[in-house]
Amino acid sequence: MTLFKPLMQASLLMLGVMLFAPGCVVAPPGEGYYDRPHHRYYHEHAWHECGDRDDRYCRG
């Protein structure tokens, strides 16, 4: 009977981790995504700052 309580606690902890973990995955943004608050865009797996004449991905 003394083994039941720690086993139950461990089971509930594992269940909580399994239910919470899938929501923690952060997917990278799509190609050409414009990040307005930081004035940058995502291109070729990296963030690039928007320049003065960079009209392809940057939107005013």
Side-chain angles (χ1 to χ4, degrees), residues 40-55:
R40 63 186 182 170
Y41 64 95
Y42 193 79
H43 178 64
E44 295 180 352
H45 308 288
W47 287 104
H48 301 278
E49 296 295 323
C50 290
D52 291 336
R53 297 183 180 239
D54 196 355
D55 296 333

Side-chain angles (χ1 to χ4, degrees), residues 6-51:
L7 184 61
M8 185 62 133
Q9 289 174 340
S11 298
L12 289 175
L13 177 66
M14 289 303 294
L15 178 64
V17 168
M18 289 181 354
L19 292 176
F20 179 73
C24 295
V25 175
V26 178
E31 183 70 22
Y33 174 77
Y34 177 64
D35 184 17
R36 185 176 299 275
H38 298 105
H39 198 59
R40 63 186 182 170
Y41 64 95
Y42 193 79
H43 178 64
E44 295 180 352
H45 308 288
W47 287 104
H48 301 278
E49 296 295 323
C50 290

